[in-house]
Amino acid sequence: MEVKKDGAVADAQYNKMVNTPVWKLVTTLAIPTVISMLITAIYNIADTFFVSQLGKSASAAVGIVFPIMSIIQAVGFTLGMGSGSLLSIKLGQKKNDEASQISSTAFYTALGIGLVIAVFGNSFASFVLKLVGASESVLPYAKGYARYIFFGAPFMCASFVLNNDLRSEGKAFFSMIALTSGGLLNVLLDPFFIFEDQILFGFVHIRGFGLGIGGAAIATLISQLMSFCILLSWYVRRKVICSMNPKYYTFRVLGKIIATGIPSLARQGMASIASILLNTAAGTYGGDAAIAAMSIVTKICMFIASIMIGIGQGFSPVSGYNYGAKRYDRVKKAFAFMIVSGSALMSLLTLVCVIWAPQIMEAFIKDDAESVRQVVAVGTVALRWQAAFMPLHPLIIGTNMLMQSTRHVKSATYLSMNRQGIYFIPAILILPLCFGLFGVEICQFVADLLSAVTAIPFLIWFFRGLNKLQDFENRHNG
């Protein structure tokens, strides 16, 4: 069969993005993106589950390293979401060479920054881990885990760029294949690297490596490397519109990429600070048991929230493409569909978490009976409060992605800082002083509620402006 020329491929993709019914297009892009996000979340939740079998100190160590992973993700998301947002607009305007400059510049910058993080992190591991809240009892576990996470920083950062750029081209299925393969490999490798003995299907005995918490990090590193290679292969084999050729690298667009990705940097940067403060507050008011409980709750809620983020990232290229093509009516329809479908899913998952919170927590902790009781008691309260307000996530996440995909950078940056920064940080500093450990447990719900309320006036302002643009286009074309 004859292969289409690059121009024909780009035209076909353009027609798909601006003419396919919105509900079908968002769903088509969101399903593989949701699967990708869930698999990405499995990287963390699988480690949390298997490491929890080693005791509460090991579980706490995973929570301690989480802010470091958030920093690595912040670099990847900044360059990935920044390049992806610009790329979808350029493709919507049929400026394909400029789109290749954007992707290549973001990719090689991510590799370079990731390498710096790897060298610095492993050179000053003890200092960094104590800075993010590691106690003397948790520090050995945290060092064993963080060492390999630092090694994976270049691949993790670059993968975020490749992943977001593929989605922005409308190639979410390619992205899903890479992330799903890596995530499943992570789940399969974790028990063999962590434990010495494995019993499969009740009777097959397999010898493991018995590397403990370091084994979990090695499994994660291998799976991340695999995902990176698969993501990159689509570009090497020229299955996509954009190129990752170094000749396209230019500092001229780097500033625009970073500026557009600032909301993601703010969101992830604030998440890192929030995690450090959460670890510190939990340790102060509840010790290692509270750190372990809040770490588990955070991973569970991140797993659920990844569904909404996936829907939002399926919406984002539709919004960017059609905004660039001046199809403002389709931007509105896509946003409405995202909010309705996201709210329905989040409400269903909220019921599961609220009703079965104790059972969910018990599945993630193996230790002496008293330690299990302490972790479950703290985690049940925190999970129920945090999950109860997850139906607000479509409004929070959707508004932020709408602003970012249409290059309303200042609004997107401010909104992205709310949930984990402007509202959460004061909450985690003030509420524990007033209510002790209960204040730690309810901080996230307070931040979610205030973030949702804040999003409403931004939506009103945006759609009023969009209606004016649409009226202008109608008059101009009429």
Side-chain angles (χ1 to χ4, degrees), residues 65-241:
V65 176
F66 179 72
I68 295 170
M69 295 186 71
S70 293
I71 292 170
I72 297 171
Q73 290 170 354
V75 174
F77 271 127
T78 300
L79 296 168
M81 291 298 290
S83 62
S85 297
L86 290 172
L87 185 150
S88 62
I89 292 174
K90 292 298 181 184
L91 293 177
Q93 296 169 344
K94 298 188 176 181
K95 298 179 179 178
N96 299 341
D97 284 342
E98 292 184 28
S100 289
Q101 289 180 346
I102 291 165
S103 353
S104 297
T105 301
F107 173 73
Y108 291 108
T109 301
L111 275 178
I113 296 176
L115 184 60
V116 171
I117 292 173
V119 173
F120 179 84
N122 276 316
S123 299
F124 304 98
S126 295
F127 169 76
V128 172
L129 291 168
K130 288 180 180 178
L131 190 65
V132 298
S135 64
E136 290 300 326
S137 59
V138 172
L139 184 59
Y141 292 96
K143 286 181 69 175
Y145 188 75
R147 179 185 305 119
Y148 301 101
I149 299 301
F150 282 129
F151 283 137
F155 308 112
M156 192 186 301
C157 289
S159 291
F160 279 116
V161 173
L162 296 172
N163 183 34
N164 279 284
D165 287 359
L166 281 171
R167 284 202 302 265
S168 295
E169 285 196 25
K171 300 290 194 303
F173 182 75
F174 287 178
S175 172
M176 182 195 73
I177 292 173
L179 296 183
T180 301
S181 300
L184 292 176
L185 181 64
N186 193 171
V187 174
L188 291 172
L189 292 181
D190 258 340
F192 295 106
F193 278 94
I194 295 171
F195 308 112
E196 289 187 0
D197 296 310
Q198 290 297 308
I199 304 296
L200 298 182
F201 309 113
F203 61 89
V204 180
H205 183 273
I206 298 178
R207 188 76 174 175
F209 293 103
L211 299 176
I213 193 170
I218 294 173
T220 298
L221 174 59
I222 293 171
S223 58
Q224 286 171 350
L225 182 58
M226 179 178 178
S227 293
F228 169 80
C229 291
I230 295 174
L231 286 166
L232 187 60
S233 72
W234 303 119
Y235 290 88
V236 173
R237 294 157 60 196
R238 302 190 66 180
K239 297 288 186 180
V240 293
I241 298 170

Side-chain angles (χ1 to χ4, degrees), residues 10 22 42 46 82 96 138 165 178 187 204 217 236 263 268 289 325 362 374 431 445:
V22 164
I42 285 174
N96 299 341
V138 172
D165 287 359
V187 174
V204 180
V236 173
Q268 291 298 124
E362 285 174 1
Q374 291 173 353
L431 292 179
F445 122 77

